[in-house]
Amino acid sequence: MKTPLAPTPPMGWNSWNTFSWNINAELIKTTADFFVESGLLDAGYEYIVIDDCWSKKERVNGRLVPDETKFPNGIKEVADYVHSKGLKFGIYSCAGTHTCAGYPGSFEHEFEDAETFASWGVDYLKYDYCYKPKSADGENLYKRMAMALRNCGRDIVFSACNWGSDNVHEWIRETGAQLFRSTGDIQDNFESVKRLAFSQLGKQCYSGPYCHNDMDMLVVGMHGNSDNSWIADVVGGCTDTEYKTHFALWSIMNSPLMIGCDVRKMSDETFKILTNKDVIAINQDIECRAPYCIRQWNNPENVFALVKPLHGGDYAIGMFNFGDKRNEMSLQFFDIGLPAASGRGLEMYDCYEHKTIGTFTERMAINIEPHDCAMFRAKVVKL
Ligand code: GLA
């Protein structure tokens, strides 16, 4: 029996956020090198994914072929290199006639493209939704490519990317996809991060093992550096505090963790955010339980907690301040299922300090800086 793919949210890197059309074999290989040298692989990041713009503008003999100025020795050679580093390799196509950037899409070529990808050693396919013929049913197109991939002779994670349209969360698991984009494209600013996170609160229950809610690639560490001015948006991007909060949200909300910055140039702070093992462990919890949101009447607006049951009895508790000033957040344990009369409290392990900070009863109140967050792993203990 083969093991099923993607029990927990995939982790890796994708070329789009920073490089968009500006991709080539050298970039992919040096990124793979850096994944190993820097410790990103050890932290759990394993997929190196080439996004749009890798192919020629036209098919050749019906097949997709790489642009030889970008990939002079083809895609297989790059995939082999990535594999030789102990990493997995991903590529991109589209359910429509063209990709979003205007390259050939896989519409009515699904089975031969899946075969091509398998022959190159592809382990992950991101599958976009541009240029879908009006008469075609999108749900059916995802079913088609899923079937092609599931029968191409190679394990290929299917990453559906229809930006949350057509109520994708209601039907995507049935297609066989392992992840599904549930949001529009991210931009490197905190408003975008907030908007995407809020849009998914309440829809978390549709995500689970083997089929994950993809809130888009991370902008952590980009600091406004992108060849794509729409993504870079505002020069400077986010602050490190905002990137920390972005990463915490994507982690506790069970999104895949696909890095989007140029990892070869990332700062120590970016590396620290991306490799926080206690936060990653919450994202990779084997049960993939949806978090629920607590907003308390006595807390300021824009302050809330996300609470996620973890395998083995602990709870992940993220506390977020989306407000523009320092705010207090207080969490009443009664609201998460722990009345004082139970004679139990919560032993709080701080995922940023990497230590237990004490046992709390009835409630916990902390001050959170603007756009900052706190993340705990709480253990229920007898008092
Ligand atoms: C869409 C997707 C992005 C990216 C681009 C590529 O906008 O949502 O993530 O793949 O297409 O053109």
Side-chain angles (χ1 to χ4, degrees):
M1 272 286 271
K2 277 207 223 166
T3 14
L5 298 173
T8 58
M11 295 171 64
W13 176 87
N14 174 298
S15 57
W16 185 255
N17 279 357
T18 298
F19 300 97
S20 291
W21 45 87
N22 214 354
I23 48 173
N24 56 55
E26 202 47 35
L27 165 69
I28 306 305
K29 289 181 181 177
T30 50
T31 298
D33 291 341
F34 196 79
F35 253 60
V36 179
E37 285 157 25
S38 65
L40 284 172
L41 172 60
D42 292 339
Y45 295 92
E46 56 175 347
Y47 290 97
I48 303 280
V49 180
I50 303 180
D51 207 282
D52 205 349
C53 308
W54 59 267
S55 79
K56 271 194 196 301
K57 284 275 177 157
E58 302 295 338
R59 287 176 179 267
V60 176
N61 298 327
R63 296 273 170 173
L64 291 173
V65 282
D67 175 331
E68 67 256 356
T69 56
K70 294 175 179 170
F71 298 97
N73 303 313
I75 297 293
K76 184 167 187 310
E77 185 249 3
V78 177
D80 288 348
Y81 187 87
V82 168
H83 290 147
S84 76
K85 295 279 162 175
L87 293 157
K88 292 184 175 147
F89 176 75
I91 205 160
Y92 165 102
S93 189
C94 185
T97 56
H98 293 83
T99 71
C100 298
Y103 293 81
S106 291
F107 180 68
E108 290 185 337
H109 292 276
E110 293 83 359
F111 285 82
E112 77 221 48
D113 287 355
E115 200 176 75
T116 302
F117 297 143
S119 75
W120 289 343
V122 166
D123 307 297
Y124 180 114
L125 177 70
K126 175 172 169 183
Y127 204 53
D128 223 325
Y129 205 49
C130 287
Y131 297 100
K132 180 183 78 63
K134 283 224 164 48
S135 56
D137 168 26
E139 183 177 336
N140 185 261
L141 295 185
Y142 281 101
K143 284 183 178 147
R144 226 192 260 178
M145 186 47 108
M147 187 181 283
L149 291 175
R150 293 167 89 85
N151 292 279
C152 69
R154 191 176 168 87
D155 279 345
I156 301 185
V157 167
F158 187 28
S159 159
C161 176
N162 87 336
W163 328 299
S165 59
D166 302 340
N167 290 326
V168 61
H169 52 278
E170 291 177 1
W171 49 264
I172 193 68
R173 182 175 284 271
E174 298 158 12
T175 67
Q178 277 81 21
L179 48 153
F180 62 101
R181 264 283 290 287
S182 51
T183 63
D185 288 10
I186 197 167
Q187 289 176 291
D188 187 13
N189 65 62
F190 195 61
E191 278 310 307
S192 172
V193 166
K194 266 177 16 182
R195 195 169 51 244
L196 299 191
F198 274 148
S199 78
Q200 294 311 300
L201 291 179
K203 287 206 191 126
Q204 292 292 300
C205 56
Y206 293 100
S207 178
Y210 313 113
C211 190
H212 308 278
N213 178 22
D214 176 1
M215 294 161 60
D216 205 359
M217 286 94 66
L218 300 164
V219 292
V220 174
M222 288 179 66
H223 290 294
N225 292 313
S226 174
D227 293 331
N228 186 324
S229 58
W230 186 83
I231 295 172
D233 187 54
V234 183
V235 178
C238 300
T239 64
D240 283 331
T241 298
E242 292 167 342
Y243 287 137
K244 169 191 161 196
T245 298
H246 166 33
F247 191 73
L249 285 163
W250 266 231
S251 293
I252 198 168
M253 293 174 79
N254 302 339
S255 179
L257 300 176
M258 300 299 286
I259 301 170
C261 69
D262 184 351
V263 291
R264 302 166 308 172
K265 295 185 185 151
M266 71 184 156
S267 68
D268 291 347
E269 192 52 36
T270 296
F271 183 75
K272 196 168 138 200
I273 293 170
L274 291 172
T275 56
N276 183 320
K277 65 177 184 354
D278 292 319
V279 177
I280 291 176
I282 289 167
N283 178 259
Q284 293 293 307
D285 186 77
I286 193 70
E287 290 190 23
C288 303
R289 299 263 165 204
Y292 57 89
C293 184
I294 302 260
R295 291 168 200 270
Q296 286 183 181
W297 63 271
N298 59 342
N299 281 326
E301 225 194 324
N302 271 326
V303 168
F304 61 95
L306 292 176
V307 182
K308 168 178 165 172
L310 300 172
H311 182 63
D314 290 356
Y315 286 75
I317 302 179
M319 296 186 183
F320 299 90
N321 178 9
F322 278 5
D324 293 329
K325 60 177 177 47
R326 187 173 212 244
N327 275 318
E328 182 182 88
M329 154 110 218
S330 79
L331 181 71
Q332 309 300 319
F333 295 167
F334 182 89
D335 293 336
I336 67 168
L338 192 66
S342 66
R344 282 151 173 87
L346 293 181
E347 187 185 278
M348 294 293 215
Y349 175 90
D350 185 321
C351 296
Y352 294 104
E353 296 296 325
H354 307 296
K355 60 174 198 222
T356 301
I357 56 162
T359 297
F360 295 74
T361 54
E362 278 185 66
R363 71 194 279 271
M364 184 189 191
I366 57 165
N367 286 307
I368 316 177
E369 298 301 325
H371 303 182
D372 202 357
C373 69
M375 184 78 90
F376 303 100
R377 194 180 181 105
K379 190 179 283 309
V380 179
V381 290
K382 280 191 182 162
L383 298 170

